[in-house]
Amino acid sequence: MLRFLIKRLLLGTLTMFAVSLVAFGMFFMLPRDAVATMCVKNCNPERLERVRVELGLKDPLIDQYTGYMKGIFVGRDLGSAQGGFCDAPCLGYSYTSSEEVSDIFARVLPVTLSIVIPAAVLWLGLGIGLGMISALRRGTVFDRLAIGFSLTGASMQLYFVGGMLMIIFVYTLKILPVPHYTSLWDDPLDWASGLVLAWVALAFLFSAVYARLSRAQMLETLAEDFVRTARAKGLSKSRAYGRHALRAAITPIVTIAGLDIGGALGGTVITETTFGIQGLGRTAVEAVRLGDLPTIMATVLVSAVFIVVANIVVDLLYAVIDPRVRLS
C-alpha cells in the first residue's frame, strides 16, 4: 500500500510541475502588458522600464520561473515595487488590488470550501442512496419517482434552480436571509443559513446525476454471477447486496465523485455568481477580466492542486475497495 501511495504522489508531483510550467508560460504569452496594468497613470516609458527591472521581468525566464517556485515554498523578495519580502506560500502580488495573492486566497478559499464540501456530502448521500434503493426496488412506484427526479435534475441549470430557490425562500416566504458568507467559527448558524440555498441547489443537480449512475451500476452488478452465487449459497439478501454488490457498484462512482469535487473546489463560478458570494470562482473571473496575471496564475495552480489531490484520494479509495488496484 505504501508503494502504491508513493507512486501516486510522485505522479501527482510531476503533474503539478507540468501545470506550473504551462501556467507560468501563459503569463508571458498573454498580450497584455503586466506593468502597464499596474501603472494606470503618470507612466512614461522610462518609469515602466524601471518597474520591469524591479519586478525581475528582464531576468531570464528560467530564473523567473525558479524564483516563482521558490517563493511558494520558502518565500521571496518581490522588490520595492511590490511591497518587499513575501512570505511562503508566495503566489505573487496582485496588480489590481495591491496585496499579496496568498492573502486574497486566504480570504476566498474558505468561502469555496464552505460551499462545495457540505454540498458534496448532500449530493453523494442523496444521489447514491436514491439510486441504490431505486435499483433494489426496480419497477416500483419509488423507482419511477426516482427516475423522474433524476431526469428533472439533469435537465435544469444551476442559475435557474438557484434563482427559483432565492425567489421562494428569500423574497417570498422570507424564511432565509440573502445568501452570504460568514465564517463557521464566528457564527455557525449564520454560516449555514447564508449558504444553505447554494448547498441545496448543487445537491439537487448533482444528486440527479449520481442517482442515475448508481442505479445503473447497481442493476448491472446485481446481474453478476458472484451476487447470484452468494444468494444461492444462503447469504442473506442484505449481506449479499450491501457487502458484495454495493462494493462493486460504487467503484466508478468514486471516480466521478473525486473529479466533480476537485473541479468544484477549483472554482464554483456559476454558483458564486448566482448567489452573489465572493469565492475562488468569482475571484478568478475578475482576475481574467482585469488582466491580473499573478492572480490568474495562482488560480490555475490552486485549481490543479485540488484536481491532483482529488485523483490521489480516488486512487487510494480504489485500493481500499479493490485490492487488485494496488498491483498496478
Side-chain angles (χ1 to χ4, degrees), residues 178-198:
V178 175
H180 62 280
Y181 173 76
T182 300
S183 174
L184 172 63
W185 316 116
D186 294 339
D187 190 338
L189 183 61
D190 192 43
W191 171 79
S193 63
L195 298 175
V196 65
L197 291 182

Side-chain angles (χ1 to χ4, degrees), residues 169-234:
F169 293 101
V170 176
Y171 300 113
T172 302
L173 299 179
K174 298 182 179 180
I175 59 177
L176 287 174
V178 175
H180 62 280
Y181 173 76
T182 300
S183 174
L184 172 63
W185 316 116
D186 294 339
D187 190 338
L189 183 61
D190 192 43
W191 171 79
S193 63
L195 298 175
V196 65
L197 291 182
W199 300 341
V200 172
L202 285 172
F204 173 66
L205 298 176
F206 276 93
S207 63
V209 177
Y210 283 86
R212 297 180 65 186
L213 176 63
S214 57
R215 179 183 182 275
Q217 287 297 131
M218 193 64 174
L219 287 174
E220 182 179 344
T221 304
L222 291 176
E224 295 287 344
D225 292 338
F226 73 91
V227 177
R228 290 198 296 263
T229 302
R231 293 287 290 134
K233 288 184 176 181

Side-chain angles (χ1 to χ4, degrees), residues 15-305:
T15 303
M16 285 305 306
F17 173 71
V19 171
S20 68
L21 283 175
V22 174
F24 194 81
M26 288 171 54
F27 185 95
F28 295 95
M29 291 171 60
L30 292 175
R32 188 183 297 240
D33 188 348
V35 176
T37 301
M38 295 178 62
C39 187
V40 295
K41 58 182 179 180
N42 299 326
C43 297
N44 54 54
E46 293 77 14
R47 183 177 180 184
L48 291 176
E49 188 66 17
R50 185 170 63 252
V51 173
R52 290 189 183 96
V53 173
E54 291 179 355
L55 294 180
L57 297 178
K58 290 295 185 178
D59 297 338
L61 290 181
I62 185 63
D63 293 342
Q64 295 185 50
Y65 174 74
T66 54
Y68 183 83
M69 297 305 296
K70 176 184 175 182
I72 294 177
F73 298 100
V74 298
R76 61 179 171 136
D77 188 1
L78 296 176
S80 58
Q82 298 189 78
F85 188 80
C86 173
D87 295 322
C90 180
L91 298 172
Y93 195 85
S94 172
Y95 293 162
T96 57
S97 63
S98 300
E99 61 180 323
E100 294 179 14
V101 176
S102 55
D103 291 339
I104 298 175
F105 277 37
R107 186 169 62 251
V108 301
L109 269 179
V111 181
T112 300
L113 291 172
S114 296
I115 294 174
V116 174
I117 294 178
V121 173
L122 287 176
W123 83 55
L124 289 174
L126 178 60
I128 295 175
L130 193 63
M132 296 298 179
I133 296 174
S134 178
L136 295 176
R137 299 184 179 182
R138 183 180 183 182
T140 64
V141 175
F142 182 90
D143 183 31
R144 294 189 181 94
L145 291 175
I147 293 174
F149 168 81
S150 63
L151 290 175
T152 302
S155 62
M156 291 188 176
Q157 298 295 325
L158 180 60
Y159 52 81
F160 173 77
V161 175
M164 291 302 297
L165 289 174
M166 290 182 62
I167 291 173
I168 295 172
F169 293 101
V170 176
Y171 300 113
T172 302
L173 299 179
K174 298 182 179 180
I175 59 177
L176 287 174
V178 175
H180 62 280
Y181 173 76
T182 300
S183 174
L184 172 63
W185 316 116
D186 294 339
D187 190 338
L189 183 61
D190 192 43
W191 171 79
S193 63
L195 298 175
V196 65
L197 291 182
W199 300 341
V200 172
L202 285 172
F204 173 66
L205 298 176
F206 276 93
S207 63
V209 177
Y210 283 86
R212 297 180 65 186
L213 176 63
S214 57
R215 179 183 182 275
Q217 287 297 131
M218 193 64 174
L219 287 174
E220 182 179 344
T221 304
L222 291 176
E224 295 287 344
D225 292 338
F226 73 91
V227 177
R228 290 198 296 263
T229 302
R231 293 287 290 134
K233 288 184 176 181
L235 199 65
S236 66
K237 188 174 182 179
S238 60
R239 291 194 64 187
Y241 291 171
R243 184 175 180 180
H244 298 285
L246 177 61
R247 187 171 184 175
I250 206 171
T251 304
I253 300 173
V254 169
T255 302
I256 297 177
L259 295 175
D260 282 343
I261 295 173
L265 288 172
T268 52
V269 178
I270 299 177
T271 306
E272 294 170 8
T273 302
T274 300
F275 294 100
I277 302 172
Q278 186 71 29
L280 182 61
R282 290 185 68 187
T283 300
V285 171
E286 291 176 2
V288 172
R289 180 175 61 85
L290 298 173
D292 192 352
L293 300 182
T295 304
I296 297 172
M297 287 177 56
T299 302
V300 172
L301 290 177
V302 171
S303 300
V305 167

